[in-house]
Short mmCIF file of all heavy atoms in Angstrom, two decimals:
data_model
loop_
_atom_site.label_atom_id
_atom_site.label_comp_id
_atom_site.label_asym_id
_atom_site.label_seq_id
_atom_site.Cartn_x
_atom_site.Cartn_y
_atom_site.Cartn_z
N TYR A 131 -7.43 193.87 13.48
CA TYR A 131 -8.79 194.19 13.80
C TYR A 131 -9.31 195.47 13.17
O TYR A 131 -10.46 195.65 12.95
CB TYR A 131 -9.06 194.12 15.23
CG TYR A 131 -8.66 195.31 16.03
CD1 TYR A 131 -9.56 196.28 16.41
CD2 TYR A 131 -7.23 195.60 16.35
CE1 TYR A 131 -9.20 197.42 17.10
CE2 TYR A 131 -6.86 196.64 16.99
CZ TYR A 131 -7.80 197.50 17.33
OH TYR A 131 -7.37 198.77 18.12
N ILE A 132 -8.43 196.36 12.88
CA ILE A 132 -8.73 197.53 11.95
C ILE A 132 -7.94 197.09 10.64
O ILE A 132 -6.73 197.12 10.63
CB ILE A 132 -8.07 198.85 12.52
CG1 ILE A 132 -8.69 199.11 13.83
CG2 ILE A 132 -8.33 200.01 11.54
CD1 ILE A 132 -8.09 200.32 14.61
N ILE A 166 -0.86 207.05 14.97
CA ILE A 166 -0.45 207.17 16.37
C ILE A 166 -1.24 206.19 17.30
O ILE A 166 -0.86 205.81 18.36
CB ILE A 166 -0.54 208.67 16.88
CG1 ILE A 166 0.09 208.92 18.19
CG2 ILE A 166 -2.03 209.10 16.86
CD1 ILE A 166 0.38 210.29 18.47
N GLN A 167 -2.48 205.87 16.91
CA GLN A 167 -3.38 205.02 17.61
C GLN A 167 -3.40 205.47 19.09
O GLN A 167 -3.52 206.52 19.38
CB GLN A 167 -3.02 203.50 17.42
CG GLN A 167 -3.21 203.08 16.08
CD GLN A 167 -4.66 203.14 15.64
OE1 GLN A 167 -5.56 202.98 16.40
NE2 GLN A 167 -4.92 203.33 14.38
N SER A 168 -3.34 204.47 20.06
CA SER A 168 -3.55 204.81 21.45
C SER A 168 -2.47 205.79 22.03
O SER A 168 -2.64 206.32 23.15
CB SER A 168 -3.59 203.55 22.30
OG SER A 168 -4.80 202.88 22.20
N MET A 169 -1.46 206.03 21.30
CA MET A 169 -0.43 207.01 21.81
C MET A 169 -0.94 208.38 21.73
O MET A 169 -0.33 209.33 22.23
CB MET A 169 0.89 206.81 21.04
CG MET A 169 1.59 205.52 21.25
SD MET A 169 2.97 205.31 20.27
CE MET A 169 2.27 204.95 18.69
N LYS A 171 -3.63 209.08 23.32
CA LYS A 171 -4.44 209.26 24.60
C LYS A 171 -3.79 210.21 25.62
O LYS A 171 -4.51 210.99 26.23
CB LYS A 171 -4.77 207.92 25.11
CG LYS A 171 -5.72 207.02 24.27
CD LYS A 171 -5.81 205.62 24.74
CE LYS A 171 -6.80 204.83 23.85
NZ LYS A 171 -6.83 203.43 24.16
N PHE A 200 -6.87 197.13 26.68
CA PHE A 200 -7.26 198.55 26.26
C PHE A 200 -8.75 198.74 25.96
O PHE A 200 -9.29 199.82 26.00
CB PHE A 200 -6.31 198.98 25.05
CG PHE A 200 -6.74 198.29 23.69
CD1 PHE A 200 -7.56 198.74 22.82
CD2 PHE A 200 -6.04 197.07 23.40
CE1 PHE A 200 -7.81 198.22 21.53
CE2 PHE A 200 -6.25 196.43 22.31
CZ PHE A 200 -7.17 196.93 21.32
N ASN A 201 -9.40 197.61 25.33
CA ASN A 201 -10.73 197.80 24.83
C ASN A 201 -11.76 197.22 25.95
O ASN A 201 -12.93 196.96 25.58
CB ASN A 201 -10.95 197.12 23.57
CG ASN A 201 -10.51 195.65 23.59
OD1 ASN A 201 -10.18 195.18 24.60
ND2 ASN A 201 -10.55 195.00 22.42
N MET A 216 -6.22 206.17 29.57
CA MET A 216 -5.38 205.32 28.69
C MET A 216 -6.21 204.20 28.05
O MET A 216 -5.75 203.62 27.06
CB MET A 216 -4.14 204.82 29.31
CG MET A 216 -3.32 205.98 30.01
SD MET A 216 -2.64 207.10 28.77
CE MET A 216 -3.11 208.72 29.49
N ASN A 218 -9.63 202.58 26.37
CA ASN A 218 -10.57 203.20 25.31
C ASN A 218 -11.77 203.94 25.96
O ASN A 218 -12.06 205.05 25.54
CB ASN A 218 -11.17 202.18 24.36
CG ASN A 218 -10.01 201.60 23.49
OD1 ASN A 218 -8.86 201.92 23.64
ND2 ASN A 218 -10.46 200.83 22.40
N GLU A 262 -11.22 202.31 10.70
CA GLU A 262 -11.43 202.35 12.17
C GLU A 262 -12.99 202.56 12.51
O GLU A 262 -13.61 202.07 13.35
CB GLU A 262 -10.60 203.41 12.79
CG GLU A 262 -10.73 203.69 14.20
CD GLU A 262 -9.44 203.59 14.94
OE1 GLU A 262 -8.36 203.70 14.42
OE2 GLU A 262 -9.48 203.33 16.18
N ASN A 269 -16.01 200.07 20.36
CA ASN A 269 -15.92 201.38 20.87
C ASN A 269 -17.29 202.09 20.92
O ASN A 269 -17.61 202.99 21.80
CB ASN A 269 -14.93 202.25 20.06
CG ASN A 269 -13.46 201.84 20.31
OD1 ASN A 269 -13.15 201.62 21.62
ND2 ASN A 269 -12.59 201.87 19.38
N TYR A 293 -12.41 210.86 18.68
CA TYR A 293 -11.44 209.73 19.19
C TYR A 293 -10.96 208.91 17.95
O TYR A 293 -9.69 208.74 17.88
CB TYR A 293 -12.25 208.70 20.08
CG TYR A 293 -11.45 207.51 20.42
CD1 TYR A 293 -10.28 207.63 21.25
CD2 TYR A 293 -11.80 206.19 19.99
CE1 TYR A 293 -9.49 206.45 21.53
CE2 TYR A 293 -11.03 205.12 20.22
CZ TYR A 293 -9.90 205.23 21.01
OH TYR A 293 -9.17 204.18 21.36
N PHE A 294 -11.75 208.48 17.02
CA PHE A 294 -11.15 207.76 15.89
C PHE A 294 -10.19 208.57 15.06
O PHE A 294 -9.16 208.11 14.61
CB PHE A 294 -12.29 207.36 14.98
CG PHE A 294 -13.25 206.16 15.50
CD1 PHE A 294 -14.55 206.20 15.19
CD2 PHE A 294 -12.75 205.28 16.36
CE1 PHE A 294 -15.42 205.23 15.70
CE2 PHE A 294 -13.59 204.27 16.87
CZ PHE A 294 -14.90 204.24 16.55
N CYS A 297 -6.80 208.87 16.76
CA CYS A 297 -6.03 207.59 16.65
C CYS A 297 -5.48 207.53 15.27
O CYS A 297 -4.44 206.83 15.01
CB CYS A 297 -6.91 206.38 16.85
SG CYS A 297 -7.42 206.15 18.64
N SER A 298 -6.15 208.14 14.25
CA SER A 298 -5.73 208.00 12.80
C SER A 298 -4.66 209.04 12.35
O SER A 298 -4.37 209.20 11.22
CB SER A 298 -6.99 208.05 11.97
OG SER A 298 -7.90 207.13 12.45
N TYR A 345 -1.43 199.27 29.81
CA TYR A 345 -2.56 198.41 30.13
C TYR A 345 -2.18 197.32 31.09
O TYR A 345 -1.62 197.56 32.12
CB TYR A 345 -3.17 197.78 28.78
CG TYR A 345 -3.42 198.92 27.77
CD1 TYR A 345 -2.69 198.83 26.56
CD2 TYR A 345 -4.30 199.94 27.92
CE1 TYR A 345 -2.86 199.85 25.63
CE2 TYR A 345 -4.54 200.86 26.93
CZ TYR A 345 -3.78 200.84 25.81
OH TYR A 345 -3.96 201.77 24.87
N LYS A 360 3.69 205.21 26.61
CA LYS A 360 2.34 204.82 26.02
C LYS A 360 2.66 204.00 24.73
O LYS A 360 3.60 204.31 24.00
CB LYS A 360 1.52 206.06 25.67
CG LYS A 360 0.21 205.71 25.20
CD LYS A 360 -0.66 205.30 26.35
CE LYS A 360 -1.94 204.47 25.93
NZ LYS A 360 -1.61 203.07 25.67
N SER A 361 1.86 202.97 24.63
CA SER A 361 1.97 202.22 23.45
C SER A 361 0.72 202.27 22.49
O SER A 361 -0.29 202.86 23.01
CB SER A 361 2.10 200.69 23.80
OG SER A 361 0.88 200.24 24.55
N GLY A 362 0.81 201.84 21.24
CA GLY A 362 -0.31 201.88 20.42
C GLY A 362 -0.37 200.61 19.55
O GLY A 362 0.74 200.08 19.26
N VAL A 363 -1.54 200.14 19.03
CA VAL A 363 -1.59 198.93 18.24
C VAL A 363 -0.97 199.07 16.84
O VAL A 363 -0.80 198.01 16.20
CB VAL A 363 -3.12 198.44 18.09
CG1 VAL A 363 -3.59 197.88 19.32
CG2 VAL A 363 -3.90 199.48 17.51
N SER A 364 -0.54 200.29 16.49
CA SER A 364 0.18 200.39 15.25
C SER A 364 1.60 199.80 15.42
O SER A 364 2.33 199.56 14.35
CB SER A 364 0.18 201.80 14.73
OG SER A 364 0.56 202.68 15.75
N GLN A 387 -0.54 191.41 24.61
CA GLN A 387 -1.20 192.56 25.26
C GLN A 387 -1.36 193.73 24.27
O GLN A 387 -1.80 194.84 24.66
CB GLN A 387 -0.30 193.02 26.42
CG GLN A 387 -0.66 192.31 27.75
CD GLN A 387 0.51 191.26 27.99
OE1 GLN A 387 1.48 191.11 27.26
NE2 GLN A 387 0.30 190.49 29.09
N GLY A 388 -0.92 193.58 23.05
CA GLY A 388 -1.00 194.59 22.05
C GLY A 388 0.05 195.63 22.11
O GLY A 388 -0.06 196.69 21.52
N ASN A 389 1.18 195.23 22.59
CA ASN A 389 2.42 196.06 22.68
C ASN A 389 3.47 195.54 21.66
O ASN A 389 3.55 194.31 21.53
CB ASN A 389 3.00 196.10 24.12
CG ASN A 389 2.02 196.63 25.16
OD1 ASN A 389 1.28 197.66 24.84
ND2 ASN A 389 1.89 196.01 26.21
O1 DON B 1355 -9.66 202.07 19.94
C1 DON B 1355 -8.99 201.41 19.10
O2 DON B 1355 -9.31 200.34 18.83
C2 DON B 1355 -7.70 202.05 18.52
N1 DON B 1355 -7.95 203.06 17.67
C3 DON B 1355 -6.65 202.40 19.50
C4 DON B 1355 -6.24 201.18 20.15
C5 DON B 1355 -4.85 201.14 20.56
O3 DON B 1355 -3.84 201.58 20.06
C6 DON B 1355 -4.65 200.30 21.79
N2 DON B 1355 -3.29 200.26 22.21
N3 DON B 1355 -2.49 199.55 22.36
#
Side-chain angles (χ1 to χ4, degrees):
Y131 78 100
I132 299 171
I166 192 167
Q167 294 298 329
S168 283
M169 293 175 286
K171 292 170 178 173
F200 70 92
N201 57 1
M216 304 296 128
N218 289 8
E262 175 127 21
N269 283 326
Y293 171 68
F294 290 147
C297 291
S298 305
Y345 312 112
K360 188 73 201 81
S361 61
V363 287
S364 48
Q387 277 104 359
N389 299 317

